[in-house]
Amino acid sequence: MQRGRVPAYYRIYQVLTERIASGAFKLGSQLPTDSELMAEFGVSRHTARTAVELLVADKLVQRFPGRGTFVLESDPVSPDWSARALEDLKIDDPDARFELHAIEHLAPHADARVAALLQVASSERLMRISWSRVRPTGPIAFCAAHLPQALASRLPSDMSEQIHSAHVIPLIEKYSGVQAFRVRQASLAVAADAEVARHLQVEIGAPLLLLQRTYFDIHGAPIYYSDLYVRSDRYVHRIELFRQRQQMELARPMSARAATPIITQSKTRSRS
């Protein structure tokens, strides 16, 4: 595997996730062993195992001692919106269609708040993409997303057509030469203003859940910011958090830790 800006274990995780999503690894099928992943991607056992552990944390696969790792069944029609990884932040609702409202370039100084969040000068033009997710019973979410002009200028002229069949972040990554690596989210309870109320078909001042998201690349530079307004009466936002691996030992009862022998290893350095 070629060395890049994204850690090798995460690249393997992305490849395996795509294979599961595409059906290449079907429900109940066995994942390649650590040794097979090492051979395919040219990485260490620790790197291969870390990638698989991310899949386990995402509940995409399950390890069975002595048997191997197998693909678990997901529930695509669940009414809950569960986010466990960056890719899970998109809304996947089989009953909701994507409805694009506009792709526009804002005038300089049009939104100083967003410019500050994207760490660009307020005088810089920003691209704004607005869209909704709409069920047959009505809209469930409205989003106003922004990205810097430096990235927006690299997007294709038919962006409005492509966005109907692909998610925004992957398109930005494809054409703008960046890759989202981390996202920061803030959740707020807000009252609907006139624009949002119109798109979500609620009264002005109606209570909504606002998810403010800033996406960063591997170097920590912000590449994308969005305000996602959700009707809480039509959608549930749920987040599952998992303990980091290095903290698992601290979470064990004292009696169990005391019963576990501590093994230390020493390394010697030879001189040639």
Side-chain angles (χ1 to χ4, degrees):
M1 172 167 285
Q2 295 181 348
R3 296 183 181 274
R5 295 178 178 177
V6 177
Y9 75 86
Y10 194 79
R11 289 181 180 274
I12 299 173
Y13 161 79
Q14 290 178 311
V15 171
L16 297 179
T17 300
E18 291 173 359
R19 291 177 182 176
I20 293 172
S22 67
F25 292 155
K26 299 185 182 299
L27 169 64
S29 65
Q30 185 174 0
L31 239 60
T33 64
D34 291 344
S35 297
E36 290 171 335
L37 292 176
M38 292 165 59
E40 178 179 355
F41 296 101
V43 296
S44 67
R45 184 175 300 276
H46 172 75
T47 299
R49 186 162 296 176
T50 300
V52 175
E53 286 174 351
L54 287 180
L55 297 176
V56 174
D58 284 351
K59 295 185 179 179
L60 294 175
V61 303
Q62 183 173 357
R63 281 188 182 274
F64 295 92
R67 291 178 51 201
T69 304
F70 295 83
V71 179
L72 292 177
E73 182 175 11
S74 60
D75 186 5
V77 297
S78 171
D80 290 338
W81 176 10
S82 177
R84 292 184 291 267
L86 189 150
E87 287 76 15
D88 295 331
L89 291 179
K90 60 184 181 293
I91 298 178
D92 282 328
D93 187 326
D95 296 325
R97 74 178 188 276
F98 176 87
E99 183 176 298
L100 178 65
H101 299 302
I103 298 179
E104 54 193 331
H105 292 273
L106 302 182
H109 306 287
D111 199 325
R113 178 184 67 93
V114 173
L117 290 168
L118 291 174
Q119 298 179 13
V120 297
S122 61
S123 58
E124 180 174 328
R125 294 172 63 90
L126 301 173
M127 173 180 278
R128 183 179 189 266
I129 306 172
S130 56
W131 51 264
S132 294
R133 286 286 182 183
V134 183
R135 284 178 176 167
T137 54
I140 60 175
F142 169 75
C143 183
H146 304 77
L147 62 154
Q149 179 62 28
L151 299 182
S153 62
R154 304 175 192 172
L155 297 178
S157 57
D158 63 343
M159 178 73 173
S160 59
E161 298 177 12
Q162 294 196 40
I163 205 172
H164 283 281
S165 58
H167 292 288
V168 178
I169 290 294
L171 283 177
I172 294 173
E173 292 177 324
K174 178 180 179 180
Y175 293 104
S176 298
V178 296
Q179 186 169 39
F181 182 73
R182 176 172 62 90
V183 61
R184 177 188 298 152
Q185 175 173 293
S187 303
L188 302 84
V190 298
D193 62 19
E195 180 189 19
V196 176
R198 182 176 72 256
H199 288 299
L200 290 182
Q201 298 178 5
V202 297
E203 297 292 333
I204 295 177
L208 299 172
L209 174 64
L210 169 60
L211 305 177
Q212 296 179 325
R213 296 172 178 169
T214 308
Y215 288 75
F216 301 85
D217 65 15
I218 190 65
H219 300 292
I223 60 174
Y224 179 90
Y225 171 80
S226 67
D227 287 318
L228 178 63
Y229 299 87
V230 181
R231 284 188 55 158
S232 57
D233 61 331
R234 291 180 174 172
Y235 221 94
V236 176
H237 179 65
R238 184 184 67 195
I239 296 178
E240 295 184 22
L241 303 177
F242 295 84
R243 187 179 298 277
Q244 293 183 2
R245 181 184 177 193
Q246 59 265 33
Q247 296 177 345
M248 290 300 293
E249 178 66 22
L250 297 178
R252 297 173 58 190
M254 288 297 296
S255 57
R257 277 188 274 165
T260 303
I262 300 177
I263 301 175
T264 59
Q265 295 181 342
S266 61
K267 295 183 179 180
T268 59
R269 180 179 298 176
S270 61
R271 295 182 178 178
S272 57

